[in-house]
Amino acid sequence: MKKTVIALVAVAASAGLAAGAFYLSPASADSDSENALAELSAGPEVDYVPPPIQWGACTDVLPTLVSLGAECGFLTVPLDYADKDGEKIKISVSRVKATAPKDSYQGAMVANLTSAGASGVGQSAWGQLLPENTRADYDWYGFDARGVGTSQPALSCDPNVNAYDRPSYIPANQKEIKANIKLSEDYAKACADSGSPLLEHVHTTDIAKDLDSLRKAIGRPQLNYYGYWYGAYLGQVYSTLYPNRVRRMVLDSAISEENAWWGFNFGQNEPLEQNLTAFSEWVAKYDSVYRLGGTAAEVRKKYDTTLAALKKKPAEGKYGSATWNEIFLLSYNTGNWNTLAMAFSTYVNDQDTTRLKEIFDANYPTTSDNLLAMQSAISCSDAPWPADWDTWLEESEKSQKTAPFATWVNTWYFAPCQSWPVKADQAFDVDGSKAPPTLMLIDTTIDANTEYSSALEVRKDFPKAVLVESSGSVPADGTSTTCVGGALVNYLKVGTLPDRVEGDQTDVVCPANDLPAPGGGTAGTGAVPGFAPNVN
């Protein structure tokens, strides 16, 4: 079910979409928009009704959207919902319209399968991973959140921050720690100096209000929603604010409010370590193909040796240890394993950097900081972070002992939050007690984006949710022939869920999916555009 596109299911693949602006063909107002519903029930800032979206053909944005005949447009919303008549901003939106007969039509499905700050305008194509008789029932919508990608304005603080020659993430001494601290403080200051009014208005609650403005603009009394990772958290917030405006909702790899976002950041380190171990075991199994060692320990040693060598002398003068770290963070998805193993092999055995460069350039922006700026702006202002560096460093050093692979990458990626210029809110109080029956999905062994304990906490928040546990696909496999896919398709098609069981546990445990076969792999193996979450 995976599609071939430019980037892997990746840390920053969706951010790459932000660089490509799209243009509209001559537009006409959607008839549903002209009849936009005012409000059906109470909710925050219920009196703002957006103008109709002027839809036109998507061009020069994503080849998949163009090939699907998708439409693109802009949703106009207030910068500050408390001042609905004040400054307006534009949210970039796409849709792929339903093709089923009217008597099968099930309304609007919004897909958001991203990290905070990543582009999602291409995710109206996500329905293509589902059986035709299911996806055809819905209008599929994707969007770039406020400040992201092709939305206007888009936030930028320092476009040069992601240059190839970034310092090593793993510090060898206090001097290197201080250097990374200074970089993070400089970046937070650059965001403050940007003077962007977005900084005060990019909380997840703001984005949830934009989502409800989209509902009004397309004239629907309710939305269907599929959220993965941060998209799942957005669904949790939206369904708390507007529970009766949700028809069906899938929370894939949900994040508990207690983990937003300090706990979530460090909670990734152990699962990412486990993923690299699983990847190393798989590579060792096929040593005749990859020539990297016949045991997981041998493969891991070559990874670590290469990391150390690249710190001393970056390949071609620019691909250093930070690049190596970031490339292999993509191992969290098994669909990337062939590609990563081939790149690993050709570099170590043949001193060929071609595949490494292709992967890095396809998945990490080097000329734009929009992803980092917006991920910081959302995460740093959504909930409090420790105000002293001692806490950050103590937690990092503790995590480093058991999870050296990703600990310092995560630390420095979010370090601007320590000195972020906008005062953080308290964590949002998620309450799914009034939400409709909801399908929850969690991958307990491969998905490093969220933890199983987090899924159980969210299950408590949503008493009408059913948690389906899987092992392998990230996000869930959309085929109707698998255990997880069958539950997903059945829910989207007819609205039925498996039974919820008593106690604090998974409701349905699915068998593990098969790991990929070896061989091949290119920098272009991945999933539907805009599907890629950021593991940092």
Side-chain angles (χ1 to χ4, degrees):
M1 295 299 294
K2 302 296 184 188
K3 305 293 183 183
T4 299
V5 294
I6 292 176
L8 301 180
V9 180
V11 163
S14 53
L17 306 180
F22 63 79
Y23 302 90
L24 303 180
S25 65
S28 61
D30 182 79
S31 59
D32 288 329
S33 298
E34 294 174 351
N35 298 311
L37 305 181
E39 287 302 322
L40 297 182
S41 57
E45 288 78 44
V46 297
D47 54 348
Y48 176 73
V49 178
I53 297 173
Q54 299 294 311
W55 294 104
C58 299
T59 61
D60 298 335
V61 53
L62 294 168
T64 301
L65 291 187
V66 175
S67 68
L68 292 173
E71 297 174 299
C72 288
F74 289 100
L75 169 71
T76 301
V77 299
L79 172 69
D80 180 357
Y81 276 88
D83 181 17
K84 67 182 181 66
D85 297 321
E87 182 177 352
K88 301 297 190 296
I89 59 176
K90 293 182 177 181
I91 309 300
S92 177
V93 185
S94 71
R95 72 175 175 186
V96 176
K97 298 192 77 172
T99 57
K102 286 186 177 181
D103 59 359
S104 297
Y105 179 68
Q106 301 209 49
M109 172 70 75
V110 180
N112 188 291
L113 302 96
T114 68
S115 69
S119 174
V121 71
Q123 291 171 355
S124 56
W126 188 82
Q128 302 306 303
L129 297 182
L130 296 169
E132 195 278 334
N133 68 348
T134 303
R135 69 171 179 264
D137 294 348
Y138 294 90
D139 292 323
W140 290 85
Y141 290 82
F143 68 98
D144 281 350
R146 53 173 56 206
V148 172
T150 51
S151 289
Q152 300 175 2
L155 182 64
S156 175
C157 303
D158 177 4
N160 299 315
V161 72
N162 292 323
Y164 291 114
D165 59 348
R166 65 196 76 181
S168 173
Y169 288 115
I170 304 172
N173 49 50
Q174 286 297 313
K175 181 179 178 181
E176 292 184 4
I177 288 176
K178 290 179 180 179
N180 276 299
I181 287 176
K182 184 177 187 306
L183 284 174
S184 69
E185 292 178 339
D186 286 348
Y187 189 72
K189 184 177 184 301
C191 289
D193 291 345
S194 75
S196 174
L198 283 167
L199 293 174
E200 297 279 355
H201 302 288
V202 288
H203 304 84
T204 299
T205 49
D206 294 310
I207 299 170
K209 293 167 188 176
D210 292 341
L211 189 58
D212 202 55
S213 289
L214 174 61
R215 177 192 65 79
K216 299 178 204 175
I218 61 176
R220 300 298 175 201
Q222 293 179 308
L223 292 176
N224 302 281
Y225 185 81
Y226 192 120
Y228 169 72
W229 186 25
Y230 175 76
Y233 183 72
L234 175 59
Q236 294 160 230
V237 172
Y238 181 78
S239 60
T240 299
L241 294 173
Y242 310 101
N244 59 343
R245 299 174 199 167
V246 182
R247 179 175 176 268
R248 290 179 190 162
M249 181 167 64
V250 180
L251 301 177
D252 193 339
S253 302
I255 299 168
S256 66
E257 63 189 76
E258 292 84 358
N259 281 345
W261 292 101
W262 167 258
F264 165 78
N265 184 38
F266 282 96
Q268 288 183 312
N269 295 337
E270 288 286 352
L272 282 167
E273 189 73 29
Q274 294 167 10
N275 282 16
L276 187 64
T277 298
F279 170 71
S280 299
E281 291 171 348
W282 179 84
V283 170
K285 182 179 177 180
Y286 300 109
D287 186 41
S288 61
V289 177
Y290 301 117
R291 301 174 292 152
L292 292 168
T295 67
E298 290 174 343
V299 175
R300 179 59 184 265
K301 184 177 180 180
K302 286 189 177 178
Y303 171 87
D304 290 334
T305 300
T306 305
L307 179 72
L310 288 172
K311 182 176 181 178
K312 291 181 179 179
K313 185 179 180 181
E316 300 183 11
K318 61 181 181 181
Y319 296 100
S321 61
T323 302
W324 188 254
N325 267 147
E326 290 174 332
I327 287 172
F328 286 93
L329 286 174
L330 308 182
S331 64
Y332 84 92
N333 186 282
T334 59
N336 296 335
W337 283 9
N338 271 320
T339 299
L340 293 171
M342 291 299 293
F344 193 168
S345 176
T346 54
Y347 179 68
V348 169
N349 294 310
D350 307 321
Q351 291 73 56
D352 184 352
T353 62
T354 302
R355 290 175 182 265
L356 292 177
K357 289 188 291 186
E358 288 176 348
I359 293 171
F360 190 83
D361 291 345
N363 291 284
Y364 293 90
T366 57
T367 59
S368 169
D369 70 324
N370 180 247
L371 175 63
L372 176 60
M374 281 305 303
Q375 182 148 38
S376 299
I378 295 169
S379 302
C380 298
S381 58
D382 254 3
W385 294 76
D388 61 285
W389 280 117
D390 287 345
T391 301
W392 286 76
L393 298 178
E394 287 170 8
E395 189 68 27
S396 298
E397 289 163 359
K398 176 182 176 182
S399 180
Q400 169 74 6
K401 293 176 182 178
T402 56
F405 170 51
T407 289
W408 287 105
V409 183
N410 270 331
T411 295
W412 300 125
Y413 195 88
F414 284 103
C417 291
Q418 194 275 341
S419 52
W420 195 248
V422 175
K423 181 177 173 59
D425 284 351
Q426 293 302 308
F428 184 81
D429 185 12
V430 171
D431 179 4
S433 61
K434 296 180 181 179
T438 298
L439 178 64
M440 289 183 59
L441 304 170
I442 184 68
D443 177 0
T444 57
T445 60
I446 297 297
D447 184 3
N449 286 329
T450 53
E451 299 174 278
Y452 179 59
S453 59
S454 188
L456 292 178
E457 288 301 316
V458 177
R459 181 178 178 270
K460 293 176 185 176
D461 292 334
F462 287 80
K464 289 179 280 189
V466 170
L467 177 59
V468 177
E469 177 184 334
S470 67
S471 173
S473 295
V474 183
D477 183 358
T479 64
S480 59
T481 57
T482 64
C483 173
V484 176
L488 174 60
V489 169
N490 196 48
Y491 177 59
L492 295 183
K493 187 67 181 177
V494 298
T496 58
L497 291 169
D499 292 335
R500 180 167 168 131
V501 301
E502 295 280 340
D504 185 21
Q505 60 180 309
T506 300
D507 299 292
V508 177
V509 179
C510 290
N513 290 348
D514 293 335
L515 293 177
T522 69
T525 302
V528 166
F531 173 68
N534 184 330
V535 297
N536 281 333

